[in-house]
Amino acid sequence: MSIGNSPEDERPFEDERVEEDREEARPSIGRALQQARIAAGLTVDDVSSATRVRMNIVHAIEADDFTACGGDVYARGHIRTLAKAVHLDPAPLLAQYGDEHGGRPAPTPAAPLFEAERIRPERRGPNWTAAMVAAIVAVIGFVGFTMFQGGDDGSGEANVAEGSTPGDSATPTTKTKKPAAPKPEPSDSAIAAAPQDKVTVQVAAADGRSWIAARDHNGRMLFDGVLKQGDSKTFQDSSKIHLVLGDAGAIDLFVNGKKIEDDFQPGSVERLTYTKGDPEAG
């Protein structure tokens, strides 16, 4: 007769080991964000510029260190923002953060009612002094206007008594304003007359929104932000323009007055550089 444990007694321990193996196979939040960023061809600087999350916080989150976020609420917000920037679904990462850090954060308590009352602006009564001054000025102006009109009426009655008729009086001429010259219609392209001694690049979000960054030949940032659908930006430099397109498939690109016909794919990240001689063909 065996005194050891039966197979049924060992099953719970096997289930726990399987669950632990699954958790070890799942990458951490920071590792998942880092892998998605590298797969998208983005650097930490690119993600920081696109999301406005500081680079040191991006590095810390990718190392699974959330202390720099300043609390669970901010940590969840940063995870959601970084996940969208690297084309990753934030919901599983937020659920994983809740499992590892104690669920959803407690709601922030509302401010006491007396605090709101304390900052309420004080109501002021009507300014009777200003109203009295305005009334006096109005009375003085009315009296002066009446006296002036009285002098004009006497001369008018004398002219009528001498036999003049309203038809005989000279008709006052009114000056008509000349119609303003029509403004010239804008050209089809804001860079159609691009100067030959410079490089001019126009970026237009034709098929959707896209994050873009543009630098001059010295590396100075000219623009860093998101173009909404229908928006456009024009950049000009003496020799060279560097571009990073977050979603190149949504962009129409014009260089030195000519459209670039590259077949950019939706969601692709493109790093481009153009000079005064571009495009060489097309």
Side-chain angles (χ1 to χ4, degrees):
M1 180 177 180
S2 175
I3 305 178
N5 294 330
S6 65
E8 288 78 6
D9 296 334
E10 295 177 356
R11 287 179 182 173
F13 297 99
E14 294 178 356
D15 294 340
E16 291 176 0
R17 284 197 298 270
V18 171
E19 186 65 25
E20 291 175 356
D21 292 340
R22 290 179 179 174
E23 292 180 356
E24 291 177 359
R26 180 176 61 178
S28 66
I29 297 172
R31 181 63 176 166
L33 290 173
Q34 184 184 50
Q35 290 175 345
R37 173 179 62 76
I38 294 173
L42 299 174
T43 65
V44 173
D45 188 12
D46 294 337
V47 173
S48 177
S49 299
T51 61
R52 305 296 184 183
V53 178
R54 295 195 301 272
M55 290 181 60
N56 63 317
I57 296 181
V58 177
H59 280 297
I61 291 176
E62 289 189 354
D64 292 309
D65 179 8
F66 301 98
T67 57
C69 297
D72 285 346
V73 174
Y74 296 103
R76 290 172 180 273
H78 290 330
I79 291 172
R80 181 180 293 105
T81 301
L82 296 179
K84 292 180 178 179
V86 298
H87 313 295
L88 201 62
D89 184 8
L93 298 180
L94 294 174
Q96 184 176 350
Y97 182 87
D99 294 340
E100 297 173 357
H101 296 271
R104 299 185 60 86
T108 303
L113 181 60
F114 68 87
E115 291 290 341
E117 292 293 334
R118 184 164 49 187
I119 63 174
R120 181 177 298 173
E122 181 183 358
R123 294 184 178 180
R124 297 182 179 180
N127 192 338
W128 296 110
T129 302
M132 185 177 298
V133 171
I136 294 174
V137 172
V139 171
I140 294 175
F142 177 78
V143 172
F145 178 78
T146 304
M147 295 178 62
F148 180 79
Q149 286 294 103
D152 289 345
D153 290 341
S155 59
E157 290 175 359
N159 290 334
V160 173
E162 291 172 0
S164 62
T165 62
D168 295 334
S169 60
T171 303
T173 59
T174 59
K175 295 182 180 180
T176 58
K177 294 183 179 180
K178 295 182 178 180
K183 295 183 179 180
E185 293 293 330
S187 60
D188 294 337
S189 174
I191 58 171
Q196 299 296 323
D197 59 340
K198 295 182 180 180
V199 54
T200 304
V201 177
Q202 185 186 51
V203 183
D207 299 325
R209 57 181 294 170
S210 175
W211 168 79
I212 68 169
R215 298 178 184 269
D216 62 11
H217 71 282
N218 291 322
R220 182 174 61 90
M221 184 67 72
L222 301 177
F223 179 79
D224 179 3
V226 175
L227 287 186
K228 298 179 180 179
Q229 185 173 5
D231 291 348
S232 65
K233 287 286 183 182
T234 301
F235 310 106
Q236 198 171 76
D237 187 69
S238 59
S239 61
K240 191 178 295 184
I241 294 290
H242 304 279
L243 291 177
V244 179
L245 307 180
D247 185 357
I251 294 298
D252 282 348
L253 196 58
F254 300 85
V255 178
N256 296 324
K258 296 181 180 179
K259 184 176 182 180
I260 303 300
E261 299 295 344
D262 290 350
D263 187 15
F264 296 134
Q265 297 300 315
S268 64
V269 178
E270 298 289 339
R271 302 172 187 277
L272 308 168
T273 300
Y274 295 103
T275 62
K276 292 184 290 186
D278 290 329
E280 296 181 357

